[in-house]
Amino acid sequence: GSRDRRKEIVEETMNNTGKTQTPSSLARSTIMNDEVVGFKDVIERLRDKLVRGTKGRDVISITGMPGLGKTTLARRLYFDKLVVSHFDIRAQCCVSQVYSRKNLLLEILHDATGKDFECGEKRVDQLADELRKALYSRRYLILVDDVWEASAWDDIIGCFRDATHASRIILTTQNYEVANYARFQSDPLPLRMFNDDESWKLLRKIVFGEEKSPPLLMNIGQQIAKKCGQLPLSIVLVAGILAETEKKEECWEQVAKNLSPYIHSNSRATIEHSYQNLPYHLRSCFLYFGAFLEDRVN
C-alpha cells in the first residue's frame, strides 16, 4: 500500500544520505537514479566534466558540511546512464575516518574486475599492482567517498594512472583542504544548500511518494521544509517523522512548533527529535547501531 511505499522511500533515502549500508552493497545499489531530488544544475555541470573536459585524468571533488548530500550527488552521477556508457570500468570505495588501505583496494578491485579477493590472499603492494594492471589503458571512473585526510588519498592515488584516456575520479569530503590537495584540473565544488523548492520537493516525495500532497498541507509542509534550513539530511529525518504523523494540518503544525530553529546547523538535534518519535521497542534497536563503525553496518 501507499504507507508501505512511503516507508520504503524513507529507508532508501536514509540509506543514500545516512549511508547505513556497507560500501560493497552501496556499490551494487541503483536506487539513486529513482530517488534523487534537487541539484539538477549541479548534476548537469559535473556530468559535463565527467564525459567531456580534459583528455587526461581529472578529479571531480565535491566538498561541504555533513548532511548536504555529497554522497547522494556523487552516486547519482556514478549511476547516470550517460556516465555509465562513457567509461570502460567503474569502481567505488568508501573511506571514512577509520579505514584499511588493503580493504579499500579490495573494494575497488572487486568492482573493477568482478572478482572476489580474499583479504589474506595477497599483500597490499600486490593488490595495488593488480589494480594498476586492471585499469591500464582503460577509461575508468572511480568514486572515492568520504575522505577525511590527505594521507588516505595518498594511499590509493598511485593506482590511478592515466595520461590520455580521460579517466575520472569523483571524490567526496567534508574537508576543502583535502579536496584541494587531490586537485588535478578541475577546482573542488563546494556543494550548495538546497533551495526552498528543492526542500519541499524532497520532503513531499518522502512523505507522499507518488501520491499528490493534500492542498491543505502544502503551506505548513513548505514551512516545515524551510525550517529544516535547506539541509537535505534534516529534511529526510523530519520527513520520516511526518510520514508517520496523521495527515492533518493541526498535527503537522505541532511538528513545526517542535522543530528547533537551529535544526539545520545541528544534525544531532534532528536525530534526537526523530528518536523521540520512535516506538519504545525501536529505541534500543536504534541505540544498538551506535556500537558499529560508520559505513560498516549491514
Side-chain angles (χ1 to χ4, degrees), residues 235-293:
I235 297 165
V236 168
L237 292 170
V238 172
I241 295 170
L242 292 174
E244 299 303 314
T245 301
E246 199 171 354
K247 304 302 180 289
K248 291 183 177 179
E249 192 174 11
E250 58 268 27
C251 297
W252 281 37
E253 285 174 350
Q254 190 59 46
V255 172
K257 285 178 184 176
N258 291 335
L259 289 180
S260 163
Y262 306 107
I263 196 168
H264 63 284
S265 60
N266 185 357
S267 56
R268 287 189 178 184
T270 318
I271 295 170
E272 167 69 15
H273 194 65
S274 299
Y275 174 78
Q276 295 299 335
N277 280 272
L278 284 174
Y280 283 103
H281 69 281
L282 289 180
R283 292 187 185 185
S284 57
C285 179
F286 177 88
L287 294 173
Y288 172 75
F289 282 99
F292 292 90
L293 290 174

Side-chain angles (χ1 to χ4, degrees), residues 160-189:
F160 308 141
R161 297 174 180 174
D162 175 45
T164 58
H165 294 89
S167 294
R168 298 288 184 266
I169 302 165
I170 304 173
L171 179 146
T172 72
T173 178
Q174 296 179 32
N175 190 335
Y176 185 86
E177 291 181 4
V178 170
N180 203 43
Y181 179 82
R183 181 183 179 277
F184 270 72
Q185 301 288 333
S186 299
D187 291 329
L189 172 75

Side-chain angles (χ1 to χ4, degrees), residues 189-252:
L189 172 75
L191 190 57
R192 64 170 174 80
M193 308 287 274
F194 260 18
N195 59 41
D196 289 345
D197 184 56
E198 290 170 327
S199 299
W200 167 235
K201 281 183 178 177
L202 177 58
L203 186 142
R204 186 179 62 198
K205 187 175 184 70
I206 294 172
V207 176
F208 298 105
E210 300 306 318
E211 299 175 6
K212 284 189 175 181
S213 55
L216 282 175
L217 293 178
M218 182 175 293
N219 186 46
I220 185 62
Q222 289 173 338
Q223 289 178 39
I224 291 172
K226 193 165 187 174
K227 277 196 169 191
C228 292
Q230 303 174 315
L231 190 66
L233 176 59
S234 295
I235 297 165
V236 168
L237 292 170
V238 172
I241 295 170
L242 292 174
E244 299 303 314
T245 301
E246 199 171 354
K247 304 302 180 289
K248 291 183 177 179
E249 192 174 11
E250 58 268 27
C251 297
W252 281 37

